[in-house]
Amino acid sequence: MTVLVAYVPTPEGDAAFTAAVEEAGRRNARLVLLNTPREGAPVSAALADEDGVRDLAARARAAGVDLEVRQDAHTGDLADEVVRVADAVDASVIVIGLRRRSPVGKLIMGSTAQRILLDADRPVLAVKP
Amino acid sequence: MTSPAGGTHVPGRPGGHPAAGATPQAGPGTPPEVSTPEEFDLEEAIHQVEAEEHEGRPPAAGLLGNLVVAAAVVVLGVAAVVGSLAFDAGSARSPEAGTWPLMVSVVIVVLGLGLVVTARRTTDAERFGRTSWLVLVGLATMVVFVAVIPVIGFEIPAALLAFVWLRFLGSEGWRTSIVTSVALVVAFYLIFVGALSVPIPHLF
Amino acid sequence: MDLAPVLDGFGVVLQPTNLLYCLIGVVVGMLVGVLPGLGPAATIAILLPITIGIEPVTAVIMLAGIFYGAQYGGTITSVLLRLPGEASSVVTVFDGFALARQGRAGTALGIAAVGSFLGGTVSIVALSFVAPLVAGFALDFGPPEYTALALLGILLVATVSSGDRLKAVIAACLGLLLATVGRDGFTGAERFTFDNLSLADGLDFVPIAMGLFGLGEILYNLEERHRAVHAPATVANVWPSRKDLRQSSGAIGRGSVLGFFLGILPGGGATLASLAAYAMEKRRSKTPERFGRGAVEGVAAPESANNAAATSSFIPLLTLGIPANATMAVIYGALLIQGVSPGPQLVDQEPELFWGVVNSMYIGNILLLIMSIPLVGLFVKILRVRATILAPITVLITLIGVYTVNYDVFDIGLVVAFGALGYLMKKLGFDPGPLVLAFVLGSLLEDSLRRSLLLFDGDPTGFLTRPISGTLLVLFLVVVLLPLIRAALPRRRADARRDTKELV
């Protein structure tokens, strides 16, 4: 049993992680944390730094949850990557954080969350901070 | 200068490679390995940094590839020699139009033969591979741009070029690609046609 | 020394336009140094069209700012991300990043800024004394001296360039060949023009430089896979302590001097200087084991040296008219476009240009020192922009920009053709730098050679009868034969590894 959480160092990502830890505890499953920056630039704000990862690991440990961290960068669409990794680890649920977007924002930039919800063929847990 | 690519290769895309934030691996996030009390080896460290820079590049060409390159240089040199002889080759005492090109071409031929000799040891040429198609596409967009610009102006070819580079060569999303291409062309129009009044062929 | 032109030079620099372009230059330079991908040579090439509409002195002030500004920008990524932005910042990675890991990134950046400033300033002062001397000495140069000088310069740049020496010399020869395209000055014959009207006047420098360095680099980078991504780094307390400054003062001094001398040498340059300064500091240190683990001298020395070298590499260009590296070759081209012929007469005939440029470097260095520290955060943000977005922008700037030079679509075609050539060259291990250098010197070289041969009535040993050209020619032969001799003698290790990188 595996719970997959798509994480970014933001309040939404944090909320997703909290929910994911809880979920993994409830299901007695291992937790896979996917923190994947977009490839192409030397620096990405989406990548959690070493201290951040250490914190997350500590929180998982405190809850007695087995944590695996994946920080490979991806090319192309983030939603596709999340779905692909979910298939790869055979996740029983994908946990994502939801961010409020204005209608214009959604038009110009699309919604990764929406894509994941629609494309994934496994349950998705969408969490708000 | 191209930057070092880091981490190990994961075959096949999509999928990735360890980002430098990944803690367990000794990837580019860690300083060069130093065995504790010994002195820091400068040459080793430099080679390590250079090697990392080349990790993201295609593999080195083999012997055949190097020989082809050497042969191409020799052919180029010979062609230049022939071309130079078409002008008056003159002599050292009275140099003519062809003297200097002839001298240079001969040197090229000699050096090309030198390349043949060293072809086995050469490792700095890269193999052409799948990624080379991307370059071909990029070049094609530029060629189309030049070919088409006198006919329909720069706006459309520029937008198309930007779109192809963003969407296909850069794996950006559809929305990002379209919006950025249009924004770019508008910006170029405002700057070059509007502010600078450059007489570049333009449609609008 | 006559101080009047020097002071006039300051007057030129302090004009608002020139100050503005100096500022633009160093900011763009820092940006270019920070961003992986394009280097100062490529950026200067791409910005050549801009230089056409402004005064020569303003143009060179800006281009110079880009060059030595890039030396500093490369340091930022070296220290924070272990990613050398420029070849001359590779050595800074070792101690710089180590310091960053210890939470002392600010110290490293601060020492680098101070070292760069002092190195640059020392170099400018020395330049102010040395350059007029060299120019005066070179006024007696005749065609044989120029032939030998050009040959030696091209050979040195090709020999010390990255990668295969043989290929670099081939690239240089190709450059020489390209310079012959067009109408021959002596006889009026049309060479290699293939009956194309646009080629009759010869190949234009600007599309060649923009294509080879700009488009070529971008196309080459398309094949780069999987660059590492880093989390944003935060930098605190960006100022070195007094203890750090005192500790590195020796390194800064020695690095500056070493950098100055290595920069003058064609083929030397910032990269070689940074390496040599680091190695020297380590060797003379009483505690060499600190190096590689966060020794401030390990940051101070290379940074002082590379800025000093970047500054002094202007000397051969401004006094002899011989570019010392690929970037200088592009600046040489920029001057030619403006109708200025660099050479020994420049100091006397265009003192405003010469001293304007030299004195602008003081201002530029001060600007760098002031801005570098507050702007670090901004530059780290800029590093988040993806290369895939920058690439088409740069391509379009190049394609449309080249059109603004002659308003001729043929130039766009030319720039694309040289872009393809630049890609092939980089891919196959041929450094495009020597090609551009040889191209700009090609006409001068052929001209001088023909005049010399006429002078010596066809006898090449005539070169050896004149002391200067004789010495230079002997040096030339030594540099040519040295690798052959070394290959013949059995050595401990095969010299197959390259330990200097692209100079620009």
Side-chain angles (χ1 to χ4, degrees), chain C residues 21 38 53 115 122 166 168 228 236 254 261 321 331 404 464 474:
Chain C
Y21 274 90
L38 288 182
V122 164
L166 209 50
R254 287 182 287 270
F261 284 108
I331 297 183
T404 65
L464 299 168
V474 167

Side-chain angles (χ1 to χ4, degrees), chain C residues 67-69 71-72 88 112-127 251-265 268-274 277 300-316 325 328 361 365 368:
Chain C
F67 185 42
Y68 53 83
Q71 306 306 321
Y72 186 76
S88 54
V114 173
S116 298
F117 173 71
L118 290 173
T121 308
V122 164
S123 197
I124 305 170
V125 173
L127 192 161
I252 293 180
R254 287 182 287 270
S256 308
V257 173
L258 186 60
F260 175 77
F261 284 108
L262 285 178
I264 304 183
L265 220 52
T271 311
L272 187 64
S274 64
E303 287 304 312
S304 316
N306 70 19
N307 267 69
T311 308
S312 68
S313 62
F314 275 91
I315 293 183
N325 53 49
M328 290 302 136
M361 299 194 201
N365 267 293
L368 269 175

